[in-house]
């Protein structure tokens, strides 16, 4: 927007001016200045992050930051949704030490199985495996097997910031790894299952993003939605499926 | 032209003895039979049922052309020691130009005898290979002469062929048509004017007519002997431990792959052969399909030799100290030999280009990780199908072949979508209790008489807020113990979590979690 606004202003000036061609030519260079300033500003900004699910766009407006850590809680659908959205179009992802994460859920969230690397690491090797993968794949998802020592966390963060052929976004699930933004799932509620009938359909959750400065934001999403992807949810009272469920419950 | 014919080769190749009535069959028709079976009236092209009626003791085996071709290779190599320019018409039959060998060995008789001896020296599982050698002007006549070990004088092919039945050269349809016209032998057919044959039976008829007159349709097309692509590493001094061998195997395999790529070839199988200084050999074939990496080949060498060392521990002599391995027990040679070479046609990628493939940087990191953690711990998921949570995606080590597909389903009793996100390595035992505090029972009809109220997972207790109708699953019902009979059930608990539970013989366990 910053690029376009000054240009627009100049055009307005041009139209509302006396209309002589000389003045219009004089106004020309000004418009160009605004344009170049806009480009320089865009360059100064950080490289664009990796795609995140549209429903979580409010929480991560810049996308999944390359060269930085994103913290998660232990929720596996959240991890699968972020990895799936980040490599839906291109790029590859490595899953380190998440042996009990269902690969089918990651694939349902949008990841192509051919671009996934599953690494079964253990307590002594996970940090080394993450260091090798940083700079080689777009996304690394890791669940540390225990508390992470400060020195290890610092080493990994430093490695992330280094220039490499591929700028990697690191997602750390669980634990207290230092991260500028941390996502967690609250108030999870599955729909579709009743007393003795139905099957699980979708899970309505509130995803909360907590930043280092103490600010936090929450959005309501279906995680996973009926097709396995992350779908935005309406406020509770307007959700048709929930209302249907409530009516069924009243009848029962 | 000399024809060398091993009678009933396809039958020998699948392991039958020549002295028994045996035959190979494909799609219900006999493709080859031993002479014992032929004497009983079994003919090639006959229906298996008819053959069994004629010869009740007949052993019918499944034809395996690939195996037959593979086993015929040593026979051809033995014949090539005698004469060059051999064309393999089909496994069991080869032809070569007669002029060279007969002049060199001083006559067709001598050349035929030498070829027969050479083939007899080849070692096979079923004893020496008897071959018939026939010499005649044309390929067709030579092949027929080989059946009876005949040498037909130059110019005598037409006379030699005249007495044979029309069916030996003509296909079944043409033979039937000719028999209906009263033409039963090749001699009668050859007597027909070629123009009329062409008008009535077309190009195929003219071709058979030419053969029947002793004229050749073509010359033998000699095969090119396969270049020896085996690679070898000699250890000096010998190595008693495995690690250097595995390392050498990787280097050898990388070199071999590079050489094959340079020739534009891939191999279907690869043989890993390790020899100790005292002459003991561990040899095995591995499936390759042109897709294994050097590291994957090295890993196979490790599997093979580890198992071999357990089965064949180094011999201990009286004067060696405990723990010290004698020099003779160390490995002295390692050889990799490719087999089933074919032209590399490439592997079809995805429709929209290489987007689906991992970039080079990722592959380098994967190689590094395989060194660091072990070959089998860096894997790629392959989406398959099945009933269990672990069946939907199989993890295959990088550089390895895709697993065999398990079929397309429909997999009754499979896990419905959405896919569970938490799949524990093994099912976790839980208690699912009803209102009376007793374990919930699922009846044989898949009904729950007392609905579940409480889920006890480890030390935690959670109230059940919803549950599905249980669905039964009966896997491998053909097995003697009745197979694997379980029921599955989805439950939600008040904390908002959901689980996929299974029950087998009254015990509940968590198969997967939705969280």
């Amino acid at each position: 927007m910053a690029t376009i606004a000054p240009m627009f202003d100049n055009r307005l000036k041009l139209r509302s001016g006396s209309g002589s061609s000389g003045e219009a030519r004089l106004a020309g260079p000004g418009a160009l200045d605004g344009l170049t300033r806009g480009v320089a500003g865009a360059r100064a900004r950080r490289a664009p992050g990796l795609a995140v699910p549209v429903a979580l766009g409010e929480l991560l407006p810049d996308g999944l930051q390359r060269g930085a850590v994103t913290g998660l809680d232990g929720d596996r659908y959240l991890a699968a949704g972020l990895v799936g959205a980040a490599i839906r179009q291109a790029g590859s992802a490595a899953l380190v030490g998440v042996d009990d994460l269902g690969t089918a859920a990651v694939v349902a969230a949008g990841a192509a199985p051919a671009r996934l690397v599953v690494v079964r690491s253990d307590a002594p090797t996970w940090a080394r495996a993450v260091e090798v993968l940083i700079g080689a794949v777009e996304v690394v998802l890791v669940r540390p097997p225990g508390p992470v020592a400060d020195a290890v966390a610092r080493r990994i963060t430093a490695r992330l910031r280094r220039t490499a052929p591929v700028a990697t976004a690191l997602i750390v699930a669980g634990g207290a790894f230092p991260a500028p933004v941390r996502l967690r799932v609250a108030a999870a509620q599955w729909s579709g299952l009743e007393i003795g009938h139905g099957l699980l359909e979708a899970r309505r959750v509130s995803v909360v993003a907590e930043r280092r400065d103490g600010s936090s934001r929450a959005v309501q999403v279906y995680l996973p939605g009926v097709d396995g992807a992350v779908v935005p949810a309406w406020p509770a009272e307007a959700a048709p499926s929930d209302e249907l469920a409530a009516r069924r419950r009243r009848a029962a | 032209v000399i024809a060398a014919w091993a009678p009933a080769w396809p039958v020998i190749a699948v392991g039958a003895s020549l002295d028994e009535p045996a035959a190979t069959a494909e799609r219900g028709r006999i493709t080859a039979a031993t002479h014992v079976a032929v004497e009983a009236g079994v003919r090639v092209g006959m229906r298996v049922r008819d053959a069994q009626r004629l010869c009740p003791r007949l052993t019918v085996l499944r034809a395996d052309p690939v195996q037959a071709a593979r086993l015929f290779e040593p026979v051809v190599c033995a014949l090539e020691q005698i004469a060059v320019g051999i064309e393999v018409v089909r496994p069991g039959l080869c032809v070569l130009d007669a002029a060279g060998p007969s002049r060199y060995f001083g006559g067709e008789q001598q050349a035929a005898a030498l070829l027969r001896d050479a083939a007899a020296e080849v070692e096979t599982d079923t004893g020496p290979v008897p071959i018939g050698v026939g010499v005649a002007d044309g390929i067709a006549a030579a092949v027929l002469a080989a059946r009876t070990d005949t040498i037909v004088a130059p110019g005598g092919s037409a006379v030699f062929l005249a007495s044979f039945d029309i069916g030996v050269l003509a296909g079944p349809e043409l033979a039937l048509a000719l028999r209906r016209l009263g033409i039963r032998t090749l001699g009668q057919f050859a007597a027909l004017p070629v123009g009329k044959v062409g008008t009535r039976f077309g190009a195929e008829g003219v071709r058979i007519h030419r053969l029947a007159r002793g004229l050749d349709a073509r010359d033998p097309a000699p095969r090119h002997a396969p270049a020896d692509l085996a690679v070898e590493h000699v250890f000096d001094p010998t190595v008693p431990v495995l690690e250097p061998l595995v390392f050498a195997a990787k280097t050898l395999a990388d070199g071999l792959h590079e050489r094959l790529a340079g020739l534009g070839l891939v191999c279907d199988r690869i043989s890993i052969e390790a020899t100790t200084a005292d002459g003991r050999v561990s040899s095995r074939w591995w499936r390759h399909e042109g897709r294994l990496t050097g590291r994957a080949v090295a890993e196979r060498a490790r599997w093979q030799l580890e198992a071999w060392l357990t089965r064949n521990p180094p011999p201990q002599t009286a004067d060696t100290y405990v723990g010290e391995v004698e020099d003779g027990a160390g490995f002295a040679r390692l050889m990799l030999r490719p087999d089933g070479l074919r032209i590399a046609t490439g592997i079809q990628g995805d429709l929209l280009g290489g987007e689906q493939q991992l970039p080079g940087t990722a592959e380098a990191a994967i190689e590094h990780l395989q060194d660091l953690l072990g070959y089998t711990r860096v894997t790629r998921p392959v989406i398959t199908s099945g009933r269990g949570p672990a069946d939907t995606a199989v993890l295959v080590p990088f550089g390895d072949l895709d697993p065999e597909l398990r079929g397309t389903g429909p997999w009754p009793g499979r896990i419905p979508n959405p896919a569970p996100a938490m799949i524990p390595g093994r099912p976790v035992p839980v208690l699912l209790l009803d209102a009376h505090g007793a374990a919930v029972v699922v009846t044989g009809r898949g009904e729950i008489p007392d609905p579940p109220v409480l889920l006890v997972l480890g030390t935690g207790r959670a109230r059940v807020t919803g549950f599905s109708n249980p669905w039964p699953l009966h896997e491998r019902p053909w097995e003697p113990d009745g197979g694997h009979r379980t029921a599955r059930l989805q439950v939600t608990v008040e904390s908002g979590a959901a689980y996929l539970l299974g029950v087998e013989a009254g015990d509940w366990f968590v198969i997967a979690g939705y969280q």
Side-chain angles (χ1 to χ4, degrees):
Chain A
M1 243 9 214
T3 315
I4 295 169
M7 230 169 86
F8 204 61
D9 286 346
N10 279 330
R11 289 236 179 105
L12 278 179
K13 227 183 277 164
L14 207 130
R15 290 248 175 89
S16 58
S18 68
S20 89
S21 57
E23 260 184 331
R25 247 184 248 126
L26 279 174
L32 223 97
D33 273 351
L35 202 71
T36 43
R37 263 203 308 277
V39 171
R43 246 185 229 146
R45 256 185 269 136
R46 300 185 67 165
L50 292 161
V52 290
V54 178
L56 299 180
E58 269 184 58
L59 300 182
L60 301 166
D62 296 335
L64 202 58
Q65 277 304 319
R66 289 171 183 265
V69 183
T70 307
L72 300 184
D73 64 352
D75 194 86
R76 288 166 185 83
Y77 280 114
L78 183 56
L82 284 177
V83 172
I87 65 163
R88 178 185 288 271
Q89 298 297 336
S92 47
L95 317 176
V96 183
V98 282
D99 297 353
D100 64 351
L101 175 66
T103 317
V106 184
V107 172
R115 289 188 264 119
L116 281 177
V117 183
V118 182
V119 181
R120 283 181 289 163
S121 64
D122 46 18
T125 55
W126 73 269
R128 190 85 189 82
V130 168
E131 280 176 34
V132 169
L133 287 164
I134 287 172
V137 292
E138 270 78 3
V139 185
V140 176
L141 169 70
V142 62
R143 184 174 332 118
V148 184
D150 272 353
V152 174
R154 265 203 303 276
R155 210 170 66 213
I156 289 176
T157 315
R159 180 131 189 139
L160 269 177
R161 289 183 183 151
R162 231 175 51 179
T163 358
V166 180
T168 303
L170 179 65
I171 305 175
V172 182
F177 201 92
V181 59
R182 192 175 293 283
L183 302 183
R184 65 182 170 84
V185 163
Q189 191 63 49
W190 275 96
S191 60
L193 206 56
E194 301 290 323
I195 301 293
H197 60 91
L199 285 172
L200 295 175
E201 266 172 14
R203 186 180 67 153
R204 190 194 168 88
V205 298
S206 152
V207 179
V208 185
E210 287 160 347
R211 295 192 176 270
R212 208 175 254 162
D213 56 15
S215 67
S216 79
R217 263 192 108 144
V219 290
Q220 299 279 318
V221 294
Y222 283 108
L223 177 69
V226 278
D227 58 348
V230 190
V231 184
W234 297 280
E237 53 273 19
S241 69
D242 280 10
E243 189 174 340
L244 197 67
R247 212 181 289 160
R248 277 207 206 110
R249 227 171 273 133
R250 272 201 298 277
Chain B
V1 175
I2 301 179
W5 182 58
W9 179 261
V11 189
I12 300 174
V14 290
S17 165
L18 272 181
D19 308 324
E20 313 242 319
T24 52
E26 199 172 4
R27 278 187 247 139
R29 300 263 172 192
I30 300 288
T31 55
T34 59
H35 72 274
V36 186
V38 172
E39 272 165 21
V42 177
R43 292 286 176 274
V44 170
M46 201 176 244
R47 288 202 317 188
V48 170
R49 229 188 266 169
D50 294 339
Q52 279 167 335
R53 199 182 62 231
L54 288 166
C55 178
R57 290 195 301 126
L58 184 73
T59 318
V60 179
L61 301 154
R62 208 171 139 195
D64 186 354
V66 179
Q67 166 95 342
R70 193 181 297 148
L71 292 183
F72 195 56
E73 186 68 23
V75 179
V76 179
C77 288
L79 295 181
E80 267 177 348
Q81 301 293 316
I82 306 296
V84 293
I86 293 182
E87 178 196 348
V88 180
V89 179
R90 58 167 189 266
L93 176 65
C94 44
V95 294
L96 58 149
D97 206 3
S102 57
R103 202 171 302 154
Y104 184 80
F105 293 114
E108 285 157 351
Q109 285 285 3
Q110 286 83 342
L114 278 167
L115 286 174
R116 228 173 271 136
D117 292 349
E121 276 170 24
V122 176
E123 281 181 28
T124 61
D125 295 341
T126 51
V129 183
I131 64 164
V133 178
V135 185
D137 286 345
I139 290 181
V143 168
L144 288 172
R147 291 187 176 190
T148 51
D149 265 350
T150 315
I151 292 173
V152 181
S157 287
V159 181
F160 172 72
L161 286 172
S163 60
F164 279 94
D165 185 82
I166 187 76
V168 298
L169 287 184
E173 278 177 31
L174 183 59
L176 188 66
L178 288 171
R179 284 207 189 96
R180 285 194 178 145
L181 293 170
I183 293 165
R184 297 184 184 282
T185 64
L186 289 176
Q188 288 172 323
F189 187 46
L192 297 177
V194 63
K196 303 268 165 153
V197 172
T199 321
R200 177 67 181 79
F201 299 110
E204 179 64 12
V206 172
R207 195 178 68 84
I208 304 295
H209 191 257
R210 272 181 68 79
L211 292 177
R213 284 189 293 152
L215 301 172
D216 231 339
R218 61 178 179 87
D219 289 330
R223 68 169 201 151
H224 296 283
D228 191 9
L229 290 169
V231 285
E232 191 184 35
H233 186 92
V234 178
F235 296 95
D236 187 19
T238 61
V239 287
V241 288
L242 220 50
E243 283 311 316
L245 249 94
V246 174
F247 194 74
K250 181 176 181 301
T251 321
L252 279 182
D254 284 340
L256 177 66
H257 290 159
E258 208 168 288
R259 197 157 158 216
L260 285 177
L263 293 168
L265 297 172
V266 289
C267 61
D268 280 335
R269 310 188 302 159
I270 189 163
S271 146
I272 301 175
E273 197 178 308
T275 316
T276 59
D278 54 7
R280 294 172 305 144
V281 181
S282 158
S283 170
R284 218 201 121 153
W285 289 99
W286 294 91
R287 198 159 68 99
H288 190 294
E289 296 185 0
R291 306 182 77 151
L292 290 187
T293 57
R295 194 177 306 274
V297 172
E299 198 63 19
R300 276 155 181 74
R302 182 202 298 280
W303 298 339
Q304 171 186 333
L305 296 175
E306 253 173 18
W308 187 80
L309 280 177
T310 345
R311 273 184 288 112
N312 305 289
Q316 297 277 341
T317 46
D319 47 308
T320 50
Y321 296 107
V322 177
E324 186 185 319
V325 181
E326 216 187 336
D327 247 12
F331 288 100
R333 256 164 27 108
L334 179 72
M335 188 196 268
L336 302 183
R337 184 192 296 281
D339 183 60
L341 295 173
R342 55 191 163 81
I343 292 172
T345 47
I347 293 161
Q348 177 73 53
D350 279 17
L351 184 63
L352 296 175
E355 284 293 307
Q356 298 295 309
Q357 304 307 317
L358 285 170
T361 50
E363 277 177 7
I366 287 162
E367 289 235 331
H368 187 173
L369 273 184
Q370 284 189 326
D371 278 342
L372 205 70
L373 303 175
Y375 173 75
T376 53
R377 299 179 77 173
V378 186
T379 55
R380 61 195 168 94
V382 176
I383 298 302
T384 54
S385 51
R387 295 187 179 86
D391 295 339
T392 48
V394 183
L395 296 179
V396 184
F398 269 93
D400 233 286
L401 304 173
D402 279 357
E404 308 240 334
L405 288 181
R406 292 156 42 95
T408 51
W411 309 115
R414 70 180 187 281
I415 299 171
N417 282 335
M422 195 267 284
I423 297 169
R426 58 189 58 186
V428 181
V430 287
L431 292 175
L432 188 66
L433 305 176
D434 60 17
H436 311 292
V440 172
V441 175
V442 177
T443 65
R445 294 181 163 221
E447 286 163 353
I448 300 186
D450 290 306
V453 175
L454 200 66
L455 179 71
V456 183
L457 182 63
T459 54
R461 300 161 78 84
R463 207 166 57 77
V464 172
T465 55
F467 58 94
S468 70
N469 203 29
W471 66 93
L473 190 65
H474 195 180
E475 284 181 302
R476 303 176 186 275
W478 57 84
E479 283 191 352
D481 59 348
H484 192 68
R485 208 184 164 93
T486 84
R488 285 175 179 172
L489 177 72
Q490 285 178 337
V491 296
T492 51
V493 295
E494 58 187 341
S495 68
Y499 297 97
L500 178 69
L501 303 182
V503 60
E504 189 170 4
D507 296 326
W508 288 91
F509 43 86
V510 174
I511 300 172
Y514 294 90
Q515 53 193 315

